[in-house]
Each structure stands twice: as structure tokens, then as C-alpha cells.
Amino acid sequence: MTTAVVLAYLGIGLMIGLAGIGSAIGVSIGGKATLGALKKNEEAFGSYMLLSALPGTQGLYGFAGFFIINGRLSQITELTINQGGMVFAAGLALGLVGLISGMKQGEVSAHGIEGIGSGYDVFGRTMVLAVFPELYAIVAFAATFLISAGL
Amino acid sequence: MIAPMLKYEVLVFHREADQLLKTLKRLGVVHIKKLKHDPEGHTAQLKSVQLHLKQSRTRFERLLPNESLPNASLLENFNLEQLDAYLEELKSLLKTIPRLEEDEFHVRHFGAYDAHKVKALKERGLYMHLYSVGIGKMHPKWRQEHAIEPLFETGRKSYFALISDRAEPPTLKAQREELPERSLNEIERELSDLRLRRDALRQSLFTHREEIRQYLDEHDLECLDQLQEVNASDQLVHMSFGKVLMLQGWIPKDKADVLEAALDASDYYYEKEKPVPSDAPPVKLENRTLGRWFEPITNLFALPDYHELDLTPFFAPFFLLFFGFCLGDGGYGLLLFFVLLGIRKRVPPAYKGIWALALALEAVAFPVGIIAGTFFGINLLETDLPLLRQLRPFMLDADALFNAALIIGALQIYFGLTLKIINQWRQFGPSYAGSPFGWMLLLTGLGWGYMSEFALTQQILTWSGVALVVLLSDPKAGILGRVGKGLWDLYGITGFFGDLLSYIRLFALGLAGSILGFVVNDIALSILGSNPILGPVFFVIMLVIGHGLNIFIATLGAFVHPMRLTFVEFYKNAGFSGGGEAYKPLKNLKPEKSS
């Protein structure tokens, strides 16, 4: 197995793994906040659920990124070290950004859930603020798409 | 658009103030201007009643059985005024009965145990002690030394009674057990009574559930009604040593005739004024079809200030397009469109607006999804069907979608700047429109130059834009202040690039959704070929569950991300300031009772 292939595998692993972990942690943070808020106001469960689900997308970007890269890799007969490095870089970027943005998005959602639970009408504003951290995972996903086009 | 408002100041003799408020309440069109916030704490008690009602409703819904209890009796003379007492009693019974059931379970093991007989023994100087010990662990010596009677055995323990003439129990290597305070019969009788009462309470709540809900609704409305009356009464300004009171209120211009006719009929003195820039009239959005459907989205963030443009009808078409892009699948749009059409008769009137909005979003998502080249995860660009061959020139591949997202973003930013020019001109005069116009020139010059070359025309556009931004960022300031503020504002050019990049989400979300749809199809197809009998069954299950989940996630993202593009990028570039107070007229909240 060549270094290029090892680098590419590592990149794909980081891409799916880290982005998925970010989403898992993010939705768990939202879920925990929901359980707390339900004790104060159980009527707003629909809002809590939507906000808790928001950080679930980073893991999907990781998976979609893997899918794009995988499609390109299957067309390449022999991977060069440059191409392996590109896949590693894309995986590291999307994985790390997905991990941290998922966690932070979960925290923003959780604060909004607590606010709604306490009787404040902040659903719409939390929705808007909670997608702020996600932009960077989107940018990393778009970068993965551009990198895969250049492979 | 925002409904134009008029300000009215009405003078009234203090004894007629209540009558005036009743008249205004009947008309239901005047938004009382808030001058003081609950100055004497009048609303505290009403708010506590409101909270209490809310708690009663929650408790009632929680304790209400799902279905009728066929063997239960009903409470005689069920009285709605005593609802709280019933709920409290039922709550307490639901705690007491399980405790008693545990006691019953415990005492049942002691057979015909009778606490009275144990007491009678005690009076004669004989004491009964209860013990438990592991099976086979009872020492034979205990029987020789003490009067022991085995009672019963569970799977792990055997229980026995020891009669002694000493109050202190003898020390044995066995577990002491508490003597039950009551006999089995007593517990059973009490349990039976409590169960009957519990079932009667629950059945009564079930039978009278609609009356109870109506009772709570009416009281809630009564409370709200009183709250608005107290709030309105607090806003009366005392003049002439309290003999004359003044009330200020706002009314939509088209309702002025109704108000004036009522005030004239009662001979009240009033004055009306058009709002001036320092006023903060309430905001009533009055949009037509498409704009009206999008008003709930505007309300989710903030209402516009009365003096600025309502951006709802301006962001609505973009929102539709963005939703389609982010959903990224024509099949999903078509499916949801028909689902929404199918439930149209079941939608409650209060949700008709939301339903219409959802229908419009899905109606646009279908053609946009086809242009994006995806139908239930199938890549239409790679599908060779005669109909698709004709549509293919209109479809965009991933690279074209990436560019399309940026182009649409640039268009919305330009549109926002155009609205800002109009808004600033309308509110503050032409000089205030100079800076946003300068930004348009500057961005056009730079964009044009980047795409072709920085020839003379592009340079003229760019530098005239810079000049306008530098000189007109703050038209009120002196020349040095203007230049300083203008140069600082020029730094904001980085924000425009950030805004533009933010529109990449339109491409990325759609792409991610369509890839996941493709993966669902791929997995389902591999299942189909795995087994001739079960394969088709699991194929269908996989498609339904997989696409169902993808639709949920894609729809959530396709709704939230356009919201962000609207409220952050578009609102910022359109110069939205917001903060308007919603128009809430004083009106009768209680339903009219027929005499």
C-alpha cells in the first residue's frame, strides 16, 4: 500500500469520523437541554426538537464529502502522492470544522431551547443564530467538492 | 407593506373614562399608546391567575384518561368551580393508592394478620416480633428456645413470628421486619374506597372534558380581557387636577372614519395627527397573497420599524428560490406538494396561511429541483429518457450550480442595496441614499473589472463609488467627520465578500441532499438483488425510510438556511433596522353572549 493511498484513507476516515462525532455531540447537547426545558414548558417540544436536530447536518456533510471523493477515487487507477495529500487535506478540513461547528451549533441551540423553556419567544432568532457556525462546515464541504474536482 | 397609521388624542371627563374605554373596546381598532408600564402593579394578580389557569390546564390534560372507564361511577353534583380541588385530590390519590398497594402486598404475606389482636396480646404482656431469614438458615435451636410460628416463604426468604413476654425482641441472626400497623381487611377496604373515588374522579373529568376545556378557555380569555383593560386604563394621562383624562392611541388610516363617528356620537374632544419621524407607531403588515404568506417568517425575526420599508414581499420570491435550491430534489418537492394538497381540507383555519406558504415553497421546489438535475436521488443528467433530453439544456451540473448560487447571492445583495437606496431616500432624503448608491457603483466596478479588465469605465465606476461612500456615509457630520466615517465604512467591503460566500450554502445543501438520496437508492437496489422474495419488500422499506429521513433533514435545512440568508445577508444590505411594535388594538376578547 502506497503512502498516497494511506493518506487518502486517513483523510476519508477523518472526514466521516470527526464530522459525525461533531453532529453526535451537537444533537446530544440539544437533546439534554430539551429534557431540562420540558420540565418548565412541555408545550414547545416541536421547537425544541427542530433546534436539537440542527447540528445533525455536519455528519451528513462528512458523508456527502466522502461520497464525492470516493466517486473520483474510483476513476483514478494509480493515486499520486499529491492526490493522496489533497484527499487528506480535504478530510482533515471537513472533519475538524464539522466536529467543532457541530458542537458549537449544539450549544447555541441548547441556549435557545433553555430560553424558550423559560418563556421567551426566541425560536426564530435561535434558528438564525444556530446556523451561523454551520456556514463553515458548508464552506469546508464546498472546498471538498472543489478539491475532488481537481483530483 | 406597512398599514399607514394616524395618532389620536382623546380628552375625556374622568367619570366618562370607563365609558370611553368600553367604546374603544367595542370598536376594536385603537392601539393604545403605551406611556407607562403597569405603574401600580395592577396586573400582578391577573398574571398570577393566568399562570394558575395554565397550570390547571396542564394538570387536567395530564390526569385525563384516554378513554371512558366503563365500570366507574360519576361524581354527584360535579361542579366546575371545584375543578382545582378535584385535580388536587386525584393527584394525591394517584400517589396514595400505589403506596397502599405496596402495604397490601406486604401484609398479604402475613395471612389473616390482625393488628388489633396483636395489640390485645401486648396488653396481656405478650409481644409479637416478626423476622425473615434466608431459606434453610433458620437455626433449630431458635424453636427450642422461643415460641416461633413460621408464616410463609418467598423464593429466597422465610418469614416467622416470635411470641415473647419481653418487649425487647431477642437477638437472632435474622432480619427484623416491621409489624404492619393495619390488618389486611382494613387496607383492602381503604384501597377499594380510594379506587372507587379515583375512578369516579377520572370518569367525571372524562365525561365533562369539553365543558372543562371551555371553562378554562373562557377564564383565560376573561383574564386576558381584564389585563388589556387594566393596561389601557393605566395609560390615561391625568390633566386639570385629575378631572380630565387624555388617551393617546394609534389607528390604521382606513379605520379612522369608524373611530371618528363613534367619538363624535359621544361628543368626545379629540385631535388627530399624522406620525412624525420621532413617533413610534405600531406596525400592521398588510401584504397581498405571496407577501401575506411570508408574514409569519417576518414575525419570527422582528417587525420592521414603522418608518422603513416592509421587506416581506421583497424577500418572498428569493426565499422560494432558496428553498428549492436547498431542498435540491424535484421529487421531494413534488411529493410534499401533493401531500399538502391532500390535507387541504383538514387544515384548521388558523393554519391556512402556513399551509399556503408550505404549498408555494414545494411548488417552486419541484422545478428548481429538476433544474438542479435530481429526482428522488436519481441524477437526471445521467438518465437517458426522451422527455429528459428536451429538458437537459435547462439543467445545471454541480459546477454550474456552484456558480448559480453565487450569482443569485450577488443579485440579492444588489437588490438589497437598491431597497436601501429607496428606503434611505424616503426616510431621510436623497443625500442619505448616496452611500448605498456608492456601494453599488463600487461593487459593480470591482466585479466587472475582475471578470474582464480594469479599463477606464470600470475605474470610473469604482472610484465614483469610493467617493460617494467616503463623502456621504454620514451627511450630517462635518467634512472631516464624513471622510473619517466614510473611510471606516469602506473597510466593510470585506463584509460583502463574506455575504456573497454565504450563498454557497444554496449549492452545498442541495448537493448534500441529492447525494444522500442517491445513496438511499443505491443501498435499496443492492437489497433488491440480494433475495428474490424478501429483497423487494426490504427494497421498498429502505426507500420509504431512507427518503423519509432525508426529506425531513433536507426540509429543515431548506427552511432554516434561507431564513439566515434573509435575516442576515439580505436585511443587512437592505439597511433593515427593525424593532417595530406589533399593532394590538384594544378589543373584546370574550365571545359575545346572546341575550
Side-chain angles (χ1 to χ4, degrees), chain A residues 40-43 49-51 53-54 56-57 60-61 63-65 67-68 105 121-125 127-136 138-139 141-143 145-146 149, chain B residues 54 57-58 62 299-303 398-399 402 498 501-509 511-512 515-516 518-519 522 550 552-553 556-557 559-561 563-564 567-569:
Chain A
K40 293 193 239 173
N41 177 11
E42 58 184 0
E43 288 165 14
M49 192 190 69
L50 290 177
L51 290 174
L54 285 182
T57 35
L60 300 179
Y61 296 141
F63 180 73
F67 197 81
I68 295 171
Q105 192 174 23
D121 183 17
V122 290
F123 174 67
R125 289 165 213 193
M127 278 273 200
V128 174
L129 290 171
V131 293
F132 275 35
E134 196 179 327
L135 171 65
Y136 306 100
I138 291 171
V139 169
F141 173 63
F145 170 76
L146 294 173
Chain B
K54 193 177 171 192
R57 182 181 292 271
T58 310
R62 199 179 289 160
N299 291 330
L300 272 178
F301 185 68
L303 281 172
D399 291 326
F402 186 89
L501 284 178
S502 186
Y503 287 84
I504 289 176
R505 74 184 70 226
L506 296 177
F507 150 79
L509 280 164
L511 182 67
I515 285 174
L516 291 173
F518 178 77
V519 170
D522 209 31
N550 198 25
F552 172 73
I553 295 165
L556 181 63
F559 189 72
V560 175
H561 285 276
M563 261 171 64
R564 148 145 190 175
F567 297 143
V568 181
E569 278 76 15

Side-chain angles (χ1 to χ4, degrees), chain B residues 406-425:
Chain B
L406 290 175
I407 291 167
I408 291 170
L411 280 176
Q412 201 187 29
I413 290 173
Y414 262 70
F415 186 54
L417 282 171
T418 312
L419 290 173
K420 191 172 181 180
I421 292 168
I422 299 168
N423 215 353
Q424 301 276 71
W425 191 308

Side-chain angles (χ1 to χ4, degrees), chain B residues 370-371 380-381 386-396:
Chain B
I370 297 296
I371 290 170
L380 299 180
L381 285 162
L387 175 69
L388 293 175
R389 263 181 241 140
Q390 291 171 337
L391 287 173
R392 199 156 293 151
F394 303 101
M395 292 181 191
L396 304 175

Side-chain angles (χ1 to χ4, degrees), chain A residues 1-66:
Chain A
M1 192 179 286
T2 64
T3 312
V5 174
V6 173
L7 276 175
Y9 275 138
L10 270 175
I12 287 173
L14 289 170
M15 186 184 287
I16 304 172
L18 293 182
I21 292 169
S23 274
I25 296 175
V27 292
S28 306
I29 293 170
K32 280 192 275 186
T34 297
L35 290 174
L38 277 173
K39 290 175 193 160
K40 293 193 239 173
N41 177 11
E42 58 184 0
E43 288 165 14
F45 180 71
S47 307
Y48 303 153
M49 192 190 69
L50 290 177
L51 290 174
S52 301
L54 285 182
T57 35
Q58 278 80 348
L60 300 179
Y61 296 141
F63 180 73
F66 148 72

